[in-house]
Amino acid sequence: MAAPKNHRSVFLGRLPLPERNFLADALRTETVGGVLLLAAAVAALIWANTPIKDAYESIRGFHLGPGSLGLNLSVQHWAADGLLAIFFFVAGIELKRELVAGELRNPKAALLPVVAALCGMAAPALVYATVATTGGGSLKGWAVPTATDIAFALAVLAVIGTALPSALRAFLLTLAVVDDLFAILIIAIFFTSTLNFTALGFAALGLFVFWLLLRKGVRGWYVYVPLAVVNWALMYNSGVHATIAGVAMGLMLRCHRREDERTSPGEHIEHLVRPLSAGLAVPMFALFSAGVTISGGALSDIFRRPETLGVVLGLIVGKAVGVFGGTWLAARFTRAELNPDLKWPDVLAVASLAGIGFTVSLLIGELAFGGDPTLVGEVKAAVLVGSLIAAVVASVLLKLRDNKYRKLCDEEERDEDQDGIPDIYEQGNPDYHLRMAALLEAKAAEHRRLAEVASGRATGDDGPA
């Protein structure tokens, strides 16, 4: 006998109001940052494919920084290793918040996005490995198509104007957060060649001091910012990718609210730092990493070389099949029931969006093929082409259901009593029904008054003198 209906959880159902409000604030910043990311990527491509491309190479290859501290880096490395640490710091806070207050706090609810993210990383890696092995290419780039760029994906949503319901957006955001976690683990485990244990030991000590100061309630940016810079520099010199320091410090922040707090320290700091990450760090990384020379011959070579073809197919096919298949399997075996307002093709559209890999994919491409500048450029071009095709496919799939999405969003946003809380969250509250009755009565009285005024004008009655 089938389990009773109320024993089945709803997948992609309505979010709790606090989670929905937090999501809306976060997505506004991510969307703006994504548009800036798109603009920076386009600017880099134009700059690198015009007569002034030599200036582009000179600027991103210019070295600065204290050599005695092992930090005499090129502008491109400062963007990839330095500014991206801010991006990963925010990712660490997002992950911590998801673990204590978001979708990942409940193991049963977390299973879906975690399984979807894992399958969404395993499938592209498998596709890449199959193509590379069949074509006699290098397996070094297996991790390139595994990452999802949430800012780029949300920028695509902003550009095409699709009004996704909050549950679908939350699923995409949670999926990307988990994706970021596994991408971080991949970078830390597979792209750390030699270790300087002295620097690593001091980095661990610095992180412990950072955690201890947070536990003691010490306040002041002038304490934490210099300490964060020191921790980053020590992590860089240890041989572990420097962005890991950003993630570690983000995970240390407290992201649950106490009774006397409107926001937790983690949420407050994320609110302050997220615009810096989305508005400066990621666009600057894109500006100095996405500039690859692209010609007709180079584009055709992307589909001939096994490494680059593996990246493209991994992003387009591997991501969509992995995320969708993982979600369906997890829902099937956890008895999660899809929101009746949505269909499985909606999940496939979001899964296609996950194929937009940019920031982390470009970074992993640089790490994987760092010894071959020509191949690095070709792999970057493959990431751009694969992400573009995935964006087009996802846009078509989402547009097919655009009218349905808009109807659901209008239902979520409707606030007839204008109390700042969407009506859909108050329908079980008796006070809500009283307010609605009073509002309807007031509207009816206003309509009667307007009708009487119109009737008086029609008969020429100006009323009492």
Side-chain angles (χ1 to χ4, degrees):
M1 180 180 293
K5 190 89 167 179
N6 57 4
H7 285 179
R8 298 173 68 91
S9 59
V10 177
F11 169 48
L12 296 179
R14 188 195 316 157
L15 297 177
L17 185 59
E19 187 70 13
R20 177 184 174 277
N21 291 339
F22 176 84
L23 176 71
D25 292 338
L27 292 181
R28 274 192 286 270
T29 306
E30 289 284 10
T31 301
V32 173
V35 173
L36 292 175
L37 173 61
L38 282 172
V42 171
L45 287 171
I46 293 173
W47 197 357
N49 290 274
T50 57
I52 58 171
K53 62 182 180 181
D54 290 340
Y56 178 76
E57 293 297 336
S58 297
I59 291 174
R60 73 174 179 176
F62 181 76
H63 280 65
L64 68 160
S68 59
L69 299 178
L71 296 175
N72 185 25
L73 311 177
S74 67
V75 170
Q76 183 177 2
H77 278 131
W78 275 113
D81 294 326
L83 290 178
L84 271 195
I86 301 173
F87 166 80
F88 280 104
F89 175 70
V90 174
I93 300 176
E94 286 179 340
L95 178 61
K96 180 65 173 290
R97 189 189 175 281
E98 289 294 328
L99 289 169
V100 300
E103 291 291 306
L104 302 181
R105 71 186 182 280
N106 184 335
K108 290 184 179 180
L111 188 62
L112 276 165
V114 169
V115 171
L118 279 172
C119 293
M121 299 186 83
L126 184 60
V127 169
Y128 177 93
T130 302
V131 174
T133 302
T134 304
S138 171
L139 290 174
K140 290 181 180 179
W142 66 270
V144 175
T146 60
T148 295
D149 194 302
I150 185 60
F152 213 149
L154 292 174
V156 170
L157 291 181
V159 170
I160 66 175
T162 299
L164 273 182
S166 58
L168 276 174
R169 289 177 177 264
F171 178 66
L172 180 61
L173 183 61
T174 306
L175 180 74
V177 169
V178 179
D179 193 295
D180 283 343
L181 169 63
F182 290 116
I184 291 160
L185 292 176
I186 287 173
I187 291 171
I189 296 170
F190 295 100
F191 296 102
T192 298
S193 53
T194 57
L195 287 176
N196 181 332
F197 288 100
T198 301
L200 186 60
F202 279 112
L205 179 61
L207 290 173
F208 174 75
V209 171
F210 190 90
W211 174 83
L212 188 62
L213 292 174
L214 289 172
R215 292 279 293 179
K216 296 294 184 181
V218 176
R219 296 178 179 270
W221 65 267
Y222 45 84
V223 174
Y224 291 102
V225 171
L227 181 57
V229 172
V230 170
N231 288 341
W232 170 86
L234 288 168
M235 191 67 73
Y236 177 84
N237 280 286
S238 73
V240 178
H241 200 270
T243 53
I244 303 301
V247 178
M249 288 183 284
L251 285 169
M252 290 179 186
L253 295 175
R254 177 170 60 82
C255 291
H256 63 273
R257 302 176 189 177
R258 292 173 178 165
E259 292 183 359
D260 58 340
E261 293 178 333
R262 293 185 60 185
T263 60
S264 66
E267 291 171 323
H268 176 67
I269 293 173
E270 181 185 16
H271 180 73
L272 295 175
V273 179
R274 186 186 288 274
L276 180 62
S277 169
L280 176 66
V282 176
M284 288 298 289
F285 169 75
L287 181 63
F288 292 112
S289 290
V292 293
T293 303
I294 296 179
S295 63
L299 286 176
S300 63
D301 287 343
I302 289 174
F303 297 95
R304 295 194 187 109
R305 184 157 188 163
E307 293 89 349
T308 50
L309 180 60
V311 169
V312 172
L313 292 179
L315 289 171
I316 301 170
V317 179
K319 268 292 183 183
V321 171
V323 172
F324 179 82
T327 304
W328 185 86
L329 287 172
R332 174 72 175 82
F333 290 104
T334 60
R335 303 188 62 78
E337 189 175 64
L338 184 66
N339 182 348
D341 291 325
L342 299 172
K343 307 295 181 186
W344 280 107
D346 299 317
V347 181
L348 179 61
V350 175
S352 300
L353 269 177
I356 301 176
F358 192 82
T359 306
V360 181
S361 290
L362 291 178
L363 176 61
I364 293 177
E366 290 181 357
L367 296 173
F369 299 106
D372 188 344
T374 301
L375 187 52
V376 168
E378 292 176 349
V379 167
K380 286 182 178 181
V383 169
L384 296 175
V385 170
S387 297
L388 177 61
I389 296 174
V392 171
V393 171
S395 299
V396 171
L397 293 175
L398 290 168
K399 276 295 183 184
L400 293 175
R401 293 269 290 167
D402 195 48
N403 290 335
K404 179 66 175 179
Y405 294 149
R406 292 188 182 282
K407 182 179 178 182
L408 291 174
C409 284
D410 290 343
E411 184 71 15
E412 286 183 358
E413 297 295 333
R414 191 172 70 246
D415 185 15
E416 292 284 351
D417 55 354
Q418 298 181 348
D419 64 346
I421 301 175
D423 297 338
I424 198 170
Y425 288 94
E426 298 184 295
Q427 289 174 357
N429 186 345
D431 293 339
Y432 165 75
H433 295 290
L434 292 175
R435 290 199 305 272
M436 287 300 298
L439 180 63
L440 292 173
E441 177 59 31
K443 286 185 176 181
E446 180 66 13
H447 289 156
R448 289 195 296 270
R449 188 186 70 78
L450 292 174
E452 290 171 0
V453 171
S455 176
R457 287 175 180 169
T459 58
D461 183 7
D462 294 330

